């Protein structure tokens, strides 16, 4: 029970790594807001957590829309009266286009991945300060936030680099309030719903040549790193980044 008594809001929790993290957090005693645009899938995650004896609620949320963040925060406070942990998984891929200079795609990727993460940090910090400080924010960047990759729209790399630096910047400002912010950088995990060429087996095999551990990561392996950073075990860690990438960034 590494999150006993804590209230956690997890975006992108209807699918993939966010879903795995929501389940793991509930197992460790957290009360979890499953926030996502996908309502039926999110409701299923809540039902799974309830069936396992945990506590969760679903909140519809488009992270790019500021009023929806206000509504999500109001809902978490109405239900549990506080917010201790924010984890931001909500994101869209940059590997589903043939036009690597598509301006509309730049705008949407930046709106969801970068602006969305900024808004989440803004509302979580505001609430954590209002309740007297403390709290942990874990933002999901990527190996793509550290290095470029062929075939991926540069907006994806730029947005994930923004996530990395939003996190470090606010970590320096909020340390005095005891609010910790860190990033987790997954490598080759099961493809995102919005993946294009990075879901293609031939492309993945080429990328795999750069993974020292020689295999895909598992969603649970990312969830475990996020659990650690969210918990009080990571009490002296802020502004840091954890690469859960099988060694990709060590090359
Ligand atoms: N899968 C990978 O290989 C990989 C690698 C590195 C980083 N990441 C990052 O990890 C995070 C999770 O990826 P995943 O593999 O679980 O992907 P996924 O596609 O399975 O899940 C992403 C979730 O985000 C939600 N989402 C998308 N846009 C949203 C919005 N505007 N508002 C709210 N929710 C929204 C989706 O509905 C979905 O439930 C993403 O930020 C992604 O960029 C993924």
């Amino acid at each position: 029970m590494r999150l006993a008594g804590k209230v956690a809001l997890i975006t992108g929790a209807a699918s993939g790594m966010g879903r795995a993290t929501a389940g793991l957090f509930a197992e460790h005693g957290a009360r979890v807001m499953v926030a996502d645009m996908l309502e039926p899938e999110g409701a299923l995650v809540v039902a799974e957590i309830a069936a396992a004896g945990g506590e969760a609620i679903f909140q519809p949320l488009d992270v790019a829309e500021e009023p929806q963040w206000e509504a999500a925060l109001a809902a978490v406070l109405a239900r549990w009266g506080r917010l201790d942990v924010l984890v931001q998984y909500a994101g869209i891929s940059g590997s589903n286009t043939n036009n690597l200079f598509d301006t509309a795609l730049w705008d949407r990727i930046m709106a969801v991945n970068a602006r969305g993460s900024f808004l989440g940090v803004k509302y979580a910090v505001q609430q954590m300060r209002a309740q007297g400080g403390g709290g942990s924010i874990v933002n999901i960047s990527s190996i793509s936030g550290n290095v470029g990759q062929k075939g991926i729209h540069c907006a994806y790399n730029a947005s994930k680099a923004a996530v990395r630096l939003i996190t470090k910047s606010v970590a320096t400002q909020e340390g005095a309030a005891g609010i910790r912010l860190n990033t987790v950088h997954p490598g080759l995990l099961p493809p995102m719903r919005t993946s294009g060429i990075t879901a293609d087996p031939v492309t993945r095999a080429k990328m795999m040549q750069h993974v020292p551990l020689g295999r895909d990561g598992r969603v649970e392996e990312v969830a475990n790193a996020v659990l650690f950073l969210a918990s009080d075990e990571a009490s002296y860690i802020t502004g840091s980044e954890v690469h859960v990438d099988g060694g990709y960034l060590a090359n």
Side-chain angles (χ1 to χ4, degrees), residues 14 46 73 91 93 101 112 184 192 195 237 248:
V46 168
L73 193 66
S93 164
F101 288 108
V112 176
V184 167
M192 298 167 71
S195 284
I237 302 178
Y248 186 100

Side-chain angles (χ1 to χ4, degrees), residues 22-113:
L24 185 65
F25 273 29
E27 265 177 49
H28 282 274
R31 290 162 285 172
V32 181
M33 173 172 274
V34 172
D36 205 292
M37 291 171 80
L38 300 176
E39 300 214 20
E41 291 84 350
L44 189 65
V45 175
V46 168
E48 284 170 355
I49 289 173
E55 196 178 340
I57 53 173
F58 177 71
Q59 176 69 25
L61 173 66
D62 179 343
V63 294
E65 300 296 330
E66 187 153 9
Q68 296 191 29
W69 271 107
E70 287 172 16
L73 193 66
V76 86
L77 296 182
R79 178 64 181 255
W80 293 308
R82 58 184 295 108
L83 179 68
D84 302 294
V85 176
L86 170 69
V87 184
Q88 302 204 81
Y89 278 104
I92 54 175
S93 164
S95 72
N96 52 6
T97 180
N98 291 323
N99 179 4
L100 295 177
F101 288 108
D102 182 331
T103 307
L105 189 54
W106 167 275
D107 289 342
R108 185 62 189 155
I109 290 173
M110 293 305 279
V112 176
N113 297 3

Side-chain angles (χ1 to χ4, degrees), residues 1 7-8 11 13 19 24 29 46-47 56 71 75 102 104-105 109 111 125 146 158 170 172 184 193 201 213 227 230:
M1 287 289 179
V7 174
T11 73
R19 177 183 185 163
L24 185 65
V46 168
D102 182 331
L105 189 54
I109 290 173
V125 163
N146 296 65
V170 180
T172 64
V184 167
R193 287 170 178 265
L213 290 182
L227 171 65

Side-chain angles (χ1 to χ4, degrees), residues 10-241:
I10 306 179
T11 73
S15 177
M17 293 181 256
R19 177 183 185 163
T21 303
L24 185 65
F25 273 29
E27 265 177 49
H28 282 274
R31 290 162 285 172
V32 181
M33 173 172 274
V34 172
D36 205 292
M37 291 171 80
L38 300 176
E39 300 214 20
E41 291 84 350
L44 189 65
V45 175
V46 168
E48 284 170 355
I49 289 173
E55 196 178 340
I57 53 173
F58 177 71
Q59 176 69 25
L61 173 66
D62 179 343
V63 294
E65 300 296 330
E66 187 153 9
Q68 296 191 29
W69 271 107
E70 287 172 16
L73 193 66
V76 86
L77 296 182
R79 178 64 181 255
W80 293 308
R82 58 184 295 108
L83 179 68
D84 302 294
V85 176
L86 170 69
V87 184
Q88 302 204 81
Y89 278 104
I92 54 175
S93 164
S95 72
N96 52 6
T97 180
N98 291 323
N99 179 4
L100 295 177
F101 288 108
D102 182 331
T103 307
L105 189 54
W106 167 275
D107 289 342
R108 185 62 189 155
I109 290 173
M110 293 305 279
V112 176
N113 297 3
R115 184 172 197 270
S117 299
F118 160 73
L119 290 173
V121 166
K122 171 178 172 175
Y123 282 91
V125 163
Q126 190 176 292
Q127 176 54 31
M128 288 167 178
R129 277 178 164 268
Q131 63 197 31
S136 173
I137 299 174
V138 185
N139 292 325
I140 307 305
S141 177
S142 170
I143 51 175
S144 309
N146 296 65
V147 293
Q149 290 146 312
K150 220 174 161 184
I152 294 182
H153 195 299
C154 64
Y156 187 71
N157 296 96
S159 70
K160 290 298 180 179
V163 169
R164 182 167 169 251
L165 264 296
I166 289 166
T167 305
K168 290 183 194 294
S169 172
V170 180
T172 64
Q173 292 158 29
E174 298 303 326
I179 302 170
R180 298 183 296 102
L181 296 96
N182 295 286
T183 45
V184 167
H185 298 245
L188 281 188
L189 270 289
M192 298 167 71
R193 287 170 178 265
T194 47
S195 284
I197 60 154
T198 52
D200 167 59
V202 176
T203 303
R204 285 184 79 81
K206 280 188 196 151
M207 292 175 84
M208 194 58 74
Q209 292 170 1
H210 301 286
V211 179
L213 290 182
R215 64 167 174 84
D216 279 356
R218 294 186 289 270
V219 291
E220 296 79 10
E221 292 175 309
V222 175
N224 280 327
V226 173
L227 171 65
F228 168 66
L229 289 172
S231 78
D232 294 338
E233 293 162 26
S235 50
Y236 200 54
I237 302 178
T238 194
S240 186
E241 50 192 272

